[in-house]
Structures are given as C-alpha cells and as structure tokens.
Amino acid sequence: MADVTLAALVLVFVAGLITALATGLGAFPFFVLDEVSDRLNVVLWGLASGIMLAASLFGLVREGLAEADRGPQLFSLGTYSGEVAVVVGLLAGVLLVVVAHEVVEGAEVNPRQYEEADFRKLVLILGILTVHSFPEGVAIGVSFADLNIEGMTLLGFTVPLLAVFMTVAISIHNIPEGVAISIPLRTMGVSNWKMVWWAVFSSLPQPIGAVLAFYFVRLARAFLPVGFGFAAGAMIYLVLTEFVPEALEEGAGLPGNGYRELVAGIVVGVAVMVPLAFI
C-alpha cells in the first residue's frame, strides 16, 4: 500500500484547482468584446478537442499500457492482460458518461437561476457540472500516480511529467469551455466578474475528482491501467459526443458549415500537445 500524505493530496488538489481556475479565463474576452465570433468559437472547440484527444491517446492510454507492462496484473490473460485492463477502463469511462447523461437528460438550467436555486435545482446543477468536469479531474488524479517516484522536482515533490502534461492540457482545454459558458451569461446581462465565477464554478468538480482518483490508484496500484483507460475513455467520449457537435452547431452558418475551422483547431491542438507527451 502506497503512502498518501496530506501534502500529496493538497498538491493534487491544487493541480485540479488550477485547471478549474483556467476555465475562468474564458470569460475575460468579454471584458473587451461584446461577443466572440462563431468562427473563433468553432476554432476554439476544435482546439479543445485536439488537445483532449492528444492527451487521452498519447498521454493516458500510452501510460496505461506502459504501467500494465511494469506493474501487477489485474487480469490474468497472459500477453494481453495490460491491453485488456486499459480497454476495460476505456469502456467504463464511456459508460459513466453515458449513464450520467441519462440521469440529467432533458434538464434545462438557466444560469440566471443559479443564485435563486432551491436545493433540488442546486443538486441538478452540480450533477450536470460533474458529468462534464469530473472525468477531467480523474485524468489529473491518475496522472499523479507516480508522485515522488519518478519525474521532475517541483515544490519539494518529484512530479511525474505526465501530471504536468495533463494539467497543462486540461487547463488549455478549459479556456474554450469558459468561453462557451460565458456566452449565454453575457446575453442575460450577467456582470463580467460573475461570468468568471460561474465559469470557474463549472469546473470545481475537477480538483475533487483529482484527489479521489489519486487516492484510489495510490492505494490500489493494480487498478492504475484501468484508471488511465477510464479517464481517457470518458474524455474521448465527451469530445466525440459534445465538443465536436457543439463546434458544428456553432459553425452551421459558416461557409462549409465550420468543418474547416473545426479541423484546423483539432490539428493545431494535436500538434501542440503531442510533442509535450513525448518529452
């Protein structure tokens, strides 16, 4: 059983909090602009999609397979035990998002009602936010699994390079999400700083998910390949079922229905993050 100190939990929580705070940056364009163009929105969604796909495939899945090769085996299936563990995790991640969406399907939440929400509405709001943000927090948590084992020295800790990569990737990805959250708030006349707050609030499940995932994989190392696959499966599914459709909806009125802008954003996102994954 690995030692999990309070300092380690605080570090992981802070990493998740950094990604949540990055969501608030998405509201800052509205401090100087009345609106963000559809073209830029599509590019930003494409950029977020490319970043998350690269982080999932070249960060989480690759590390999950490597961990399966060098760590204890959860499944006794010979040569393919590691691959099976990662695939099981991928499917579990997809299943979580599907089930969570079914639970909150059809729920319409008006951001202006946040401050007057009763208990039921608050539970609903938090449920919706968790569906989108919790898997990203899990990705951060599992990426810290080798804390103080291998990596680079930072603030007195030996931090895995994968953890730095995932924290940067999810932080960058959260900025377009902050823009998307701020757009309807802007049309409702919500003040600039309140838009920042609600953007950050939408990602608060991330530091919580990060701590829970980190604690679990440190205590149950054999589940780490499944954990990597779980985080990757949830994020890939969110990209394919939410980010890409959202981008195409935003780009419906553009020449080519926004496909060029979407593809350009994805290519740039992948191109930026892939080199970081192999440092």
Side-chain angles (χ1 to χ4, degrees), residues 246-271:
E246 178 73 21
L248 294 177
E249 182 178 341
E250 291 281 348
L254 299 174
N257 294 320
Y259 280 95
R260 287 180 302 178
E261 290 80 3
L262 174 61
V263 172
I266 291 174
V267 169
V268 171
V270 172

Side-chain angles (χ1 to χ4, degrees), residues 41-230:
N41 264 323
V42 175
V43 173
L44 288 174
W45 278 113
L47 180 66
S49 299
I51 287 170
M52 297 316 295
L53 289 174
S56 298
L57 296 174
F58 300 107
L60 295 171
V61 171
R62 187 168 69 97
E63 185 63 25
L65 293 173
E67 176 63 29
D69 289 338
R70 63 176 177 255
Q73 297 295 324
L74 186 63
F75 300 95
S76 300
L77 295 175
T79 305
Y80 299 102
S81 295
E83 289 83 349
V84 170
V86 174
V87 169
V88 168
L90 285 165
L91 295 176
V94 171
L95 181 62
L96 170 74
V97 179
V98 170
V99 171
H101 278 173
E102 287 296 321
V103 171
V104 299
E105 186 178 14
E108 294 293 335
V109 178
N110 184 341
R112 186 177 282 280
Q113 295 175 349
Y114 284 1
E115 294 175 357
E116 298 87 24
D118 57 24
F119 180 75
R120 180 178 176 278
K121 288 178 182 175
L122 285 173
V123 171
L124 178 60
I125 291 167
L126 290 173
I128 294 170
L129 297 179
T130 300
V131 169
H132 295 84
S133 296
F134 191 79
E136 295 158 9
V138 170
I140 296 168
V142 297
S143 71
F144 273 88
D146 284 331
L147 183 67
N148 290 332
I149 298 176
E150 61 179 40
M152 59 184 290
T153 302
L154 183 65
L155 299 176
F157 294 91
T158 302
V159 179
L161 292 178
L162 178 63
V164 177
F165 171 70
M166 290 305 303
T167 302
V168 171
I170 293 176
S171 294
I172 297 173
H173 145 270
N174 278 355
I175 295 174
E177 283 202 347
V179 174
I181 291 165
S182 299
I183 289 173
L185 293 173
R186 180 72 167 187
T187 62
M188 294 173 184
V190 176
S191 68
N192 290 337
W193 285 108
K194 281 190 176 181
M195 286 194 297
V196 174
W197 157 246
W198 289 120
V200 172
F201 179 76
S202 72
S203 293
L204 287 183
Q206 288 176 11
I208 298 171
V211 169
L212 292 176
F214 171 73
Y215 187 79
F216 179 78
V217 297
R218 290 281 283 198
L219 295 183
R221 185 81 187 190
F223 282 90
L224 187 52
V226 177
F228 279 122
F230 177 86

Side-chain angles (χ1 to χ4, degrees), residues 1-18:
M1 180 178 295
D3 180 35
V4 181
T5 65
L6 177 60
L9 294 174
V10 170
L11 178 66
V12 175
F13 181 86
V14 169
L17 185 61
I18 288 171

